[in-house]
C-alpha cells in the first residue's frame, strides 16, 4: 500500500511546488495509482503510477512528451527539478501530468467514431520519425507471426475444452469457430507473404506508435476538442491495432454497418495516407479474428446472454466477410491490392 502522505511530500520536493489539496482518484495495489493535486499557485496536476519498471515508465513518459511537442492533444508530463519525467517512491515510478479537464468522449453515433479515428490518425502521423533520447528503451508489439500463431492455438484450445456443447452460448460459439479459424488462417498466410518482416524491422514504411487501448473513455472532450489520455499500453505497432479497438467498442450492441466501417477507413487514410505495404498489413490485421479470440480467452461471453452472444457472433461474421470480400476477394491471394 502506498504511503500517500510521504508520496505527496516527495512530489513537493521533486517539483518544487507546495500542495494545497490532493484527492485520491484510483488506487489498485501494484496496478495503478491516480490522484488529483492542486498546488497553492492554483495549478492542477494528475499524479500517476502504473507500477511499471522504470525503463517502461520512461518510454511512456518520453513518448507523451515527444507527441505533445508535435501537437498531439494529450496531458504532457511535467519535468522534475532534476530534469527527469518521473520520480520513484517505495520502488515504483510516478509521473506528474498537467491536469486535463473534461469527460469521456461519446461513442453513440458514426460521427463520434469518426472524430476519434481522426484523432488517432493525427497521433499516428505525428509519431512517425520520432527520435528518443539516448538510453530510452523502445517498446514494440509481439511479433505478429508469433501473435497470430498463439491466437489461433487459443481458439483451437477453447474448442477442445469447451466446444462439446450443442446448445446455449458455448454451442453458438463452437458452431462459429470453423469460420473464424479459416479466416484467421487466411490472414496468417497473407501475413507470411507480406512485407511484415521488413516493417517490423523498420525498413518498410514509417513505423508509428499506437495507443494500445483506444476507446472513448481514454479520449476526453473539453471545449469541443478531443484529448488522448492513459498511454500505459503505448508501443510501436501498425495502426490497425487502434482501429480494431475503437471499432469494437463502437460496435457493441450494433449490427455491422459496412458504410460506417468504410467511412472509418477512408477518413483515417485521408489524414494519414499509408504506404501500400503498411496498408496491406492493416487489411490483414483487420481480417484476423482478434476480437473473437479475445472474447473467448477472456471469457467475456460469460457475462452475455445467449441472445447477445448470437448478436455479437453475427456482427463479427459480417465484419469479417466484408473485409475478406473488399480487400482479399474470394481467394485471398498475396499481393492483391485493396481499396478503402
Amino acid at each position: 500500500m502506498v504511503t500517500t502522505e510521504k508520496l505527496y511530500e516527495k512530489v513537493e520536493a521533486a517539483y518544487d511546488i507546495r500542495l494545497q489539496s490532493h484527492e485520491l482518484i484510483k488506487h489498485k495495489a501494484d496496478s495503478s495509482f491516480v490522484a488529483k493535486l492542486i498546488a497553492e499557485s492554483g495549478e492542477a496536476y494528475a499524479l500517476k503510477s502504473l507500477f511499471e519498471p522504470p525503463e517502461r515508465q520512461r518510454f511512456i513518459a518520453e513518448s507523451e512528451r515527444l507527441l505533445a511537442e508535435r501537437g498531439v492533444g494529450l496531458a504532457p508530463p511535467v519535468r522534475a527539478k532534476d530534469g527527469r519525467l518521473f520520480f520513484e517512491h517505495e520502488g515504483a515510478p510516478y509521473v506528474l501530468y498537467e491536469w486535463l479537464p473534461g469527460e469521456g468522449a461519446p461513442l453513440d453515433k458514426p460521427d463520434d467514431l469518426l472524430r476519434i479515428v481522426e484523432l488517432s490518425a493525427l497521433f499516428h502521423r505525428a509519431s512517425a520519425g520520432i527520435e528518443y533520447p539516448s538510453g530510452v528503451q523502445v517498446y514494440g508489439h509481439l511479433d505478429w507471426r508469433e501473435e497470430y500463431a498463439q491466437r489461433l492455438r487459443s481458439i483451437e484450445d477453447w474448442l477442445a475444452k469447451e466446444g462439446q456443447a450443442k446448445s446455449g452460448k458455448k454451442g453458438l460459439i463452437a458452431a462459429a469457430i470453423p469460420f473464424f479459424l479459416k479466416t484467421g488462417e487466411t490472414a496468417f498466410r497473407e501475413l507470411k507473404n507480406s512485407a511484415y518482416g521488413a516493417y517490423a524491422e523498420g525498413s518498410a514504411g514509417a513505423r508509428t506508435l499506437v495507443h494500445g487501448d483506444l476507446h472513448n473513455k481514454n479520449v476526453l472532450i473539453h471545449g469541443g476538442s478531443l484529448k488522448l489520455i492513459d498511454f500505459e499500453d503505448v508501443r510501436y505497432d501498425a495502426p490497425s491495432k487502434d482501429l480494431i479497438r475503437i471499432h469494437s467498442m463502437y460496435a457493441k450492441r450494433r449490427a455491422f454497418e459496412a458504410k460506417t466501417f468504410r467511412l472509418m477507413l477512408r477518413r483515417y487514410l485521408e489524414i494519414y495516407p499509408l504506404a501500400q505495404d503498411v496498408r496491406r498489413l492493416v487489411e490483414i490485421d483487420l481480417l484476423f479474428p482478434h476480437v473473437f479470440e479475445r472474447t473467448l480467452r477472456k471469457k467475456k461471453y460469460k457475462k452475455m446472454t445467449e441472445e447477445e452472444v448470437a448478436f455479437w457472433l453475427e456482427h463479427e461474421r459480417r465484419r469479417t466477410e466484408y473485409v475478406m470480400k473488399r480487400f482479399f476477394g474470394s481467394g485471398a491471394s498475396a499481393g492483391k491490392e485493396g481499396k478503402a
Side-chain angles (χ1 to χ4, degrees):
M1 193 71 176
V2 177
T3 308
T4 52
E5 289 304 321
K6 290 185 177 180
L7 171 63
Y8 298 141
E9 290 174 4
K10 187 165 285 188
V11 170
E12 291 182 319
Y15 295 90
D16 196 21
I17 60 176
R18 292 294 174 264
L19 297 180
Q20 174 181 296
S21 64
H22 44 75
E23 175 189 355
L24 183 61
I25 296 174
K26 180 171 67 172
H27 184 200
K28 295 182 179 179
D30 300 324
S31 174
S32 60
F33 177 96
V34 182
K36 182 178 182 180
L37 311 181
I38 305 295
E40 290 181 352
S41 63
E43 293 179 283
Y45 302 95
L47 178 65
K48 297 184 178 182
S49 179
L50 304 172
F51 300 96
E52 295 274 7
E55 59 271 18
R56 170 65 184 166
Q57 185 62 78
R58 185 183 179 194
F59 171 71
I60 295 170
E62 288 287 358
S63 298
E64 292 167 319
R65 177 186 68 81
L66 291 165
L67 289 167
E69 290 178 356
R70 291 189 171 204
V72 177
L74 53 80
V78 179
R79 285 195 183 277
K81 288 191 302 182
D82 63 7
R84 297 199 304 167
L85 292 176
F86 67 90
F87 68 95
E88 295 182 49
H89 175 68
E90 296 181 354
Y94 288 78
V95 180
L96 190 68
Y97 294 92
E98 295 179 15
W99 180 263
L100 275 184
E103 299 180 349
L107 192 57
D108 302 317
K109 300 177 293 186
D111 283 349
D112 298 331
L113 171 66
L114 295 179
R115 286 193 71 190
I116 296 176
V117 167
E118 289 170 3
L119 180 64
S120 71
L122 291 169
F123 152 49
H124 295 159
R125 187 179 70 187
S127 73
I130 275 181
E131 294 186 7
Y132 288 86
S134 175
V136 174
Q137 181 176 335
V138 175
Y139 288 78
H141 189 68
L142 175 69
D143 188 298
W144 285 14
R145 291 161 293 196
E146 294 180 38
E147 180 191 20
Y148 281 22
Q150 289 179 9
R151 300 299 181 240
L152 290 172
R153 285 196 301 270
S154 170
I155 296 173
E156 292 169 343
D157 289 346
W158 188 96
L159 184 62
K161 294 176 183 176
E162 310 284 355
Q164 305 309 311
K166 302 300 182 185
S167 61
K169 293 187 286 188
K170 290 183 179 180
L172 291 171
I173 294 171
I177 280 180
F179 169 80
F180 289 106
L181 277 178
K182 182 178 180 181
T183 53
E185 288 163 357
T186 298
F188 197 8
R189 184 169 62 251
E190 292 286 321
L191 181 68
K192 291 175 181 177
N193 292 320
S194 73
Y196 177 74
Y199 177 76
E201 294 168 2
S203 57
R207 291 203 311 159
T208 56
L209 292 171
V210 299
H211 184 276
D213 192 20
L214 185 64
H215 58 77
N216 57 309
K217 298 304 180 185
N218 281 339
V219 178
L220 295 183
I221 182 167
H222 180 73
S225 63
L226 300 183
K227 309 285 186 180
L228 284 166
I229 61 171
D230 291 351
F231 280 78
E232 59 195 71
D233 293 318
V234 68
R235 62 184 184 271
Y236 275 101
D237 207 348
S240 49
K241 298 303 185 187
D242 282 344
L243 293 175
I244 290 169
R245 178 70 167 131
I246 189 59
H247 183 263
S248 70
M249 296 299 292
Y250 169 78
K252 285 184 175 181
R253 302 178 183 84
R254 285 185 178 86
F256 176 70
E257 304 160 342
K259 178 181 178 182
T260 301
F261 193 82
R262 184 167 59 251
L263 282 173
M264 176 186 78
L265 298 179
R266 183 179 298 167
R267 185 68 56 86
Y268 183 91
L269 292 170
E270 286 172 353
I271 296 171
Y272 186 32
L274 300 173
Q276 187 59 45
D277 285 345
V278 180
R279 186 165 164 175
R280 190 58 172 174
L281 293 177
V282 168
E283 294 164 0
I284 292 169
D285 212 29
L286 291 172
L287 179 64
F288 193 84
H290 290 291
V291 176
F292 178 78
E293 185 277 333
R294 187 173 186 272
T295 303
L296 270 57
R297 174 165 44 89
K298 297 287 187 179
K299 301 187 184 298
K300 291 182 176 292
Y301 59 88
K302 288 190 172 184
K303 295 183 179 180
M304 301 162 68
T305 66
E306 187 172 339
E307 291 74 17
E308 287 171 337
V309 168
F311 186 87
W312 160 68
L313 288 170
E314 178 64 12
H315 176 279
E316 282 301 300
R317 182 189 65 79
R318 290 183 61 194
R319 185 194 65 79
T320 302
E321 288 177 340
Y322 174 83
V323 173
M324 175 69 85
K325 181 178 180 180
R326 188 165 188 84
F327 299 121
F328 299 91
S330 57
S333 60
K336 189 177 290 184
E337 295 185 2
K339 296 180 180 179

